[in-house]
Amino acid sequence: MKLTTLIFVFSATLGSCMAQQSDVSIKTPDGFTTTTVAANFGRVRHIAMNSNGDLYMKLERLSKGCGIVRLRDTNKDGVMDDTLSFGNYVGTGIAIKNGYLYASNNSSVFRYPLNNSKLGIDTAGVQRIVTGLWDKRQHNSKSIALDNAGNIYVNIGAPSNVCQEQDRQRKSKGRTPCPILDSAGGIWQFKVDKLNQSYADGIRYATGIRNCVGLDWNNEVNELFVTVHGRDELYQSYPEYYDQKSGAELPSETMYMVKKGDDCGWPYVHWDHLQNKKILNPEFGGDRVKTGADNAISPLVGFPGHLAPNALLIYSGNQFPAKYKNGAFIAFHGSWNRSPEPQEGFYVVFVPMKNGKPTGKWEVFANGFAGMETVVNLSAAKHRPCGLAQGADGSLYVSDDSKGYVWKISYKN
Amino acid sequence: MKKMIISVILVAGIAAILQSQSTSTSSKARGKEVYARYCLTCHQADGGGVPRMNPPLTQTEYVNGNKQRLIGIVLNGMNIPLEINGDSYENPMASHAFLKDQQIADVLTYVRSSFGNKSTAITAEEVKAVRAKNK
């Protein structure tokens, strides 16, 4: 168990450097240390690390009119001492690939050339590569990932809980076929270097995905991996099948490997990790026993319900012990809809993998972000893990969209 | 004689005040149960809500402002771009018109006098009036 050490951070709101101690202690396995590299940047969603050590953060709420902040440790003393803010839009997705920074708002994707100039990036050289994606409020964040063949993958979350005739209305029936799936509830593929692409220019790469906030390209097997938020309100809507406890535990949050053309089964089924089955949703005639969507693929892992897997990172570094190589780190944002049961999540999980397949049970890797044992009301949680990035040296970075912290987790022999 | 009349009026007055207080106290107690069953998951036990998704019920203008608008939110649900204290909330709220007038009055009386809110009670008659206009 390691305590977060004293760090220097600077605050975007104060705009000045100040020494600050983390207000929580992060527990990790033996040999790992955690330091706070940023604090008080507000709603920091996903993060990306350039090979030169520049850390880019995508904000969900503008700070001084900007939605992207770049942090830099100019004199390499371990303290981020230089900030650059740009991009006048809020959003979630951010990624770096082959000399470009990619960032999304809730309907578009932009890219910026990275360079060796003093700023490290050509913010004026911004290009809009994707536009006009559905932003119908619910599940509108556009997470992104890039492959090695010039493609970008964009999550278009379904603006719906389970494709009912009336969204979230108790006992409102599910719609078959679900019309949302034409434009959302899946992953779309676009070219990285074409401007202003929209639905007609892209490919619906995978479907039946309610809302996938975490996605990453697995370079070991050259496939896309995603973590998906399962549906809400099984207990609230169908107390005849689900009690308070099982409604908190189900449905599973999931991690999939998705290939082109795959269907993960939403809205017709949800994954049930207690039965290891695709269970038909009650809105479509399910009763907690009936299975469905035979055409749909099964996840690699089913986690307890509602933990909200907001970021996925397939670890390719050499710094951590061998067991971590090619495995998956997942940042769980923490639940709200396990209420009235206590909330769960607020930690970073590790899934050991080889050749894209889990080789053991998932484990909690970094914990303590909430700053308390039991979170009853979500508002009490101090921090909520939301983004992950891997440094050039193999360190793992974790961001928080509650108070805008970023932690660096390193392994020392 | 005059004294007696005054005290009779006084006693009656106090009784009326007590009566109305106890109806609103028991309305609040009933409202807490309605809240636990129908609102708590989304708006949380402390009314703190869920960032990005479900707005807080703590000192918002919707909760403490115009009663008709507030009753309307419960009856009709809500799905409009919503910003409270600089954060936006993206989920929709479904209609809760299936609740009885008294249940809606109770839950709103509870919400308006909990989570730091100090606004007046809402009656079943007020809910009924809004529901009638709604149709």
Side-chain angles (χ1 to χ4, degrees):
Chain A
M1 146 142 157
K2 289 274 151 8
L3 297 188
T4 305
T5 44
L6 173 78
I7 352 312
F8 293 78
V9 282
F10 34 139
S11 143
T13 36
L14 299 178
S16 64
C17 291
M18 52 188 252
Q20 188 171 320
Q21 206 160 6
S22 176
D23 56 352
V24 293
S25 26
I26 305 302
K27 299 167 198 72
T28 47
D30 282 345
F32 289 91
T33 48
T34 307
T35 55
T36 309
V37 297
N40 304 324
F41 280 92
R43 310 276 180 250
V44 180
R45 298 284 287 175
H46 284 174
I47 51 176
M49 192 95 196
N50 197 7
S51 51
N52 67 357
D54 285 352
L55 179 70
Y56 289 89
M57 315 191 286
K58 188 76 201 77
L59 308 186
E60 167 78 354
R61 180 174 171 163
L62 295 182
S63 168
K64 292 185 198 149
C66 293
I68 304 176
V69 177
R70 187 225 64 201
L71 300 181
R72 174 180 285 177
D73 174 5
T74 335
N75 56 2
K76 304 289 173 206
D77 65 349
V79 179
M80 297 287 192
D81 49 43
D82 177 60
T83 53
L84 173 73
S85 299
F86 59 98
N88 62 351
Y89 51 93
V90 298
T92 291
I94 196 157
I96 288 174
K97 187 83 188 177
N98 295 339
Y100 282 90
L101 175 78
Y102 296 82
S104 69
N105 65 14
N106 294 332
S107 61
S108 316
V109 183
F110 303 87
R111 72 171 187 169
Y112 307 80
L114 295 164
N115 56 36
N116 294 323
S117 71
K118 202 160 162 256
L119 295 180
I121 185 164
D122 175 11
T123 56
V126 59
Q127 298 175 322
R128 189 174 66 189
I129 57 168
V130 180
T131 182
L133 305 183
W134 270 22
D135 174 2
K136 302 200 176 210
R137 305 187 59 235
Q138 191 176 182
H139 302 151
N140 58 1
S141 66
K142 302 290 180 289
S143 299
I144 54 177
L146 295 113
D147 68 12
N148 300 304
N151 300 304
I152 183 164
Y153 300 82
V154 185
N155 163 60
I156 307 180
S160 165
N161 180 26
V162 55
C163 206
Q164 291 162 279
E165 281 160 10
Q166 292 199 303
D167 189 26
R168 292 179 190 265
Q169 191 71 64
R170 278 159 206 242
K171 306 293 184 207
S172 169
K173 289 262 165 295
R175 302 175 71 184
T176 310
C178 172
I180 290 172
L181 292 169
D182 294 340
S183 314
I187 311 286
W188 266 253
Q189 184 197 52
F190 298 97
K191 293 280 164 225
V192 290
D193 54 1
K194 266 177 71 182
L195 300 185
N196 296 318
Q197 303 163 85
S198 195
Y199 286 103
D201 313 286
I203 293 170
R204 190 180 75 174
Y205 189 76
T207 189
I209 300 172
R210 178 176 175 271
N211 186 29
C212 134
V213 187
L215 67 172
D216 196 14
W217 192 259
N218 184 331
N219 285 310
E220 188 196 16
V221 294
N222 218 27
E223 296 287 356
L224 184 66
F225 279 59
V226 303
T227 54
V228 184
H229 288 217
R231 57 157 304 166
D232 302 326
E233 293 162 10
L234 277 173
Y235 157 60
Q236 284 80 0
S237 302
Y238 291 91
E240 59 269 46
Y241 304 130
Y242 297 88
D243 60 12
Q244 194 172 302
K245 280 228 149 40
S246 56
E249 192 63 15
L250 293 169
S252 323
E253 303 290 54
T254 47
M255 178 172 82
Y256 290 87
M257 177 174 91
V258 290
K259 298 192 173 183
K260 192 171 176 178
D262 276 347
D263 181 349
C264 298
W266 182 89
Y268 314 111
V269 292
H270 65 258
W271 185 253
D272 178 330
H273 58 284
L274 306 176
Q275 306 184 65
N276 260 326
K277 282 180 184 160
K278 289 172 286 182
I279 298 297
L280 197 62
N281 275 317
E283 290 81 355
F284 294 87
D287 57 1
R288 197 176 168 180
V289 179
K290 278 184 219 147
T291 57
D294 299 331
N295 58 314
I297 62 167
S298 295
L300 296 173
V301 189
F303 301 94
H306 314 299
L307 308 192
N310 265 19
L312 169 67
L313 185 140
I314 309 294
Y315 187 75
S316 59
N318 294 317
Q319 183 191 118
F320 289 5
K323 89 165 203 192
Y324 293 97
K325 185 103 179 193
N326 301 315
F329 286 105
I330 300 169
F332 282 99
H333 203 208
S335 68
W336 55 274
N337 35 9
R338 289 174 79 94
S339 292
E341 296 287 307
Q343 308 308 336
E344 187 57 43
F346 313 97
Y347 42 55
V348 177
V349 151
F350 178 69
V351 182
M353 294 204 298
K354 197 170 191 295
N355 296 323
K357 297 223 167 57
T359 55
K361 210 185 147 1
W362 62 274
E363 61 197 41
V364 174
F365 173 74
N367 201 357
F369 297 96
M372 62 194 67
E373 268 305 302
T374 309
V375 178
V376 176
N377 289 300
L378 185 66
S379 64
K382 285 214 168 91
H383 304 282
R384 302 184 76 193
C386 188
L388 294 170
Q390 186 182 308
D393 68 350
S395 296
L396 182 71
Y397 291 78
V398 183
S399 64
D400 149 47
D401 70 348
S402 182
K403 298 207 176 62
Y405 274 55
V406 178
W407 296 268
K408 175 185 185 180
I409 303 177
S410 310
Y411 185 75
K412 300 273 180 302
N413 286 306
Chain B
M1 188 63 191
K2 215 174 175 187
K3 240 183 178 174
M4 221 168 99
I5 294 176
I6 290 175
S7 46
V8 165
I9 293 172
L10 214 74
V11 168
I14 290 169
I17 289 168
L18 284 178
Q19 164 79 33
S20 85
Q21 262 184 356
S22 87
T23 30
S24 84
T25 317
S26 56
S27 172
K28 184 176 173 183
R30 289 193 305 267
K32 187 173 184 187
E33 281 168 35
V34 177
Y35 185 82
R37 175 114 196 262
Y38 296 106
C39 325
L40 183 146
T41 313
C42 294
H43 292 290
Q44 299 281 283
D46 65 350
V50 178
R52 281 181 57 77
M53 296 181 163
N54 310 321
L57 302 178
T58 48
Q59 284 134 59
T60 72
E61 55 165 288
Y62 296 97
V63 169
N64 298 293
N66 183 295
K67 288 181 177 184
Q68 277 71 36
R69 179 174 66 180
L70 178 59
I71 295 166
I73 290 172
V74 175
L75 285 174
N76 303 320
M78 191 176 179
N79 194 4
I80 51 155
L82 184 68
E83 201 182 289
I84 295 177
N85 296 330
D87 281 314
S88 52
Y89 296 87
E90 306 287 6
N91 275 17
M93 173 168 152
S95 154
H96 286 66
F98 60 86
L99 295 173
K100 297 194 178 72
D101 292 345
Q102 188 63 54
Q103 286 179 300
I104 294 178
D106 291 345
V107 74
L108 292 179
T109 296
Y110 169 71
V111 167
R112 278 164 63 93
S113 57
S114 307
F115 321 134
N117 299 319
K118 293 194 177 64
S119 294
T120 51
I122 287 186
T123 64
E125 285 67 45
E126 287 170 310
V127 177
K128 192 174 173 191
V130 176
R131 204 193 287 264
K133 261 208 230 136
N134 233 354
K135 282 182 179 146

